[in-house]
Amino acid sequence: MKQIKFHQNIKILLSLLIILSLWSCERDDICASTTPTTPHLIIRFYNINAISETKTVRRMDVTAEGNPKFIVSDKTTDSIVLPLKVDALDNLNTSRFVLTKDRDYDTDDDPNTVSNADIIEVKYTPELIYVSRACGYKSVFNNLSATRETDLSNWIIDIQVINDTINNENAAHINIYH
């Protein structure tokens, strides 16, 4: 009789251990679509003559310098979203973008209508942040700064960093005035 009761107690104890181990498990195989991931750089364009008013850029192309693949192609817009590359964690990184406005003007023979390309340089320090077992890590970008390369006919007049940390995509990080 004691041996039967001992086996029953062992079965109950093992059952409790299994139930407790399953109860403490979390779903870690799926990263929810609402989970924030590595954010992109958001740039808003403003009117240089009325700095509180957004201003669209006509038929704009954006490429990463040295890469002919378009990030933005033939878009008339007052804001863009750009990816930042990570070369080295916790060190200063640089991304350079070529922003070309009026891209269609290069296709005609009129010397009064030409497209205009400006280069902006964005510097930042990437940092990895643990999100979860399913989602892994995301990058945030700290110490953001931006400059415009000067040429003979810049269409970008001024650049202002609004938020020097990129940790979400809720608002613009850089304002460009033209």
Side-chain angles (χ1 to χ4, degrees):
M1 188 75 157
K2 284 185 179 185
Q3 196 171 28
I4 293 174
K5 207 164 187 143
F6 177 75
H7 286 288
Q8 285 177 339
N9 286 341
I10 293 286
K11 285 182 183 179
I12 291 171
L13 183 61
L14 284 174
S15 297
L16 282 172
L17 284 173
I18 291 172
I19 290 171
L20 286 174
S21 68
L22 291 175
W23 189 12
S24 67
C25 288
E26 63 180 81
R27 289 188 52 93
D28 63 354
D29 56 345
I30 298 173
C31 184
S33 62
T34 57
T35 303
T37 57
T38 296
H40 291 82
L41 171 67
I42 299 175
I43 297 175
R44 294 287 312 252
F45 296 96
Y46 286 88
N47 186 340
I48 189 67
N49 298 316
I51 61 173
S52 62
E53 294 177 14
T54 59
K55 182 178 178 184
T56 60
V57 178
R58 184 185 170 282
R59 298 192 74 174
M60 178 173 43
D61 285 344
V62 179
T63 58
E65 188 177 55
N67 184 348
K69 185 178 176 185
F70 291 113
I71 301 170
V72 174
S73 178
D74 196 12
K75 188 173 183 182
T76 299
T77 185
D78 69 353
S79 62
I80 55 175
V81 177
L82 302 176
L84 295 176
K85 64 181 180 177
V86 176
D87 289 330
L89 290 172
D90 300 321
N91 289 309
L92 190 63
N93 286 236
T94 302
S95 291
R96 289 173 56 92
F97 299 99
V98 180
L99 285 70
T100 305
K101 74 172 194 149
D102 300 328
R103 70 176 291 283
D104 60 324
Y105 285 169
D106 277 344
T107 61
D108 63 27
D109 294 328
D110 185 349
N112 297 317
T113 58
V114 293
S115 66
N116 190 341
D118 280 354
I119 297 173
I120 63 169
E121 183 174 88
V122 181
K123 294 185 178 191
Y124 48 89
T125 305
E127 174 187 4
L128 281 182
I129 304 290
Y130 181 75
V131 176
S132 69
R133 202 159 49 174
C135 300
Y137 291 85
K138 74 174 191 173
S139 295
V140 297
F141 305 98
N142 301 307
N143 307 315
L144 180 69
S145 67
T147 56
R148 166 187 53 96
E149 190 174 283
T150 303
D151 62 32
L152 295 176
S153 62
N154 287 111
W155 66 271
I156 296 173
I157 307 302
D158 193 22
I159 297 178
Q160 182 180 24
V161 174
I162 301 303
N163 189 345
D164 69 349
T165 299
I166 303 174
N167 58 8
N168 63 53
E169 294 179 348
N170 297 335
H173 306 105
I174 294 176
N175 289 348
I176 290 181
Y177 299 92
H178 65 107

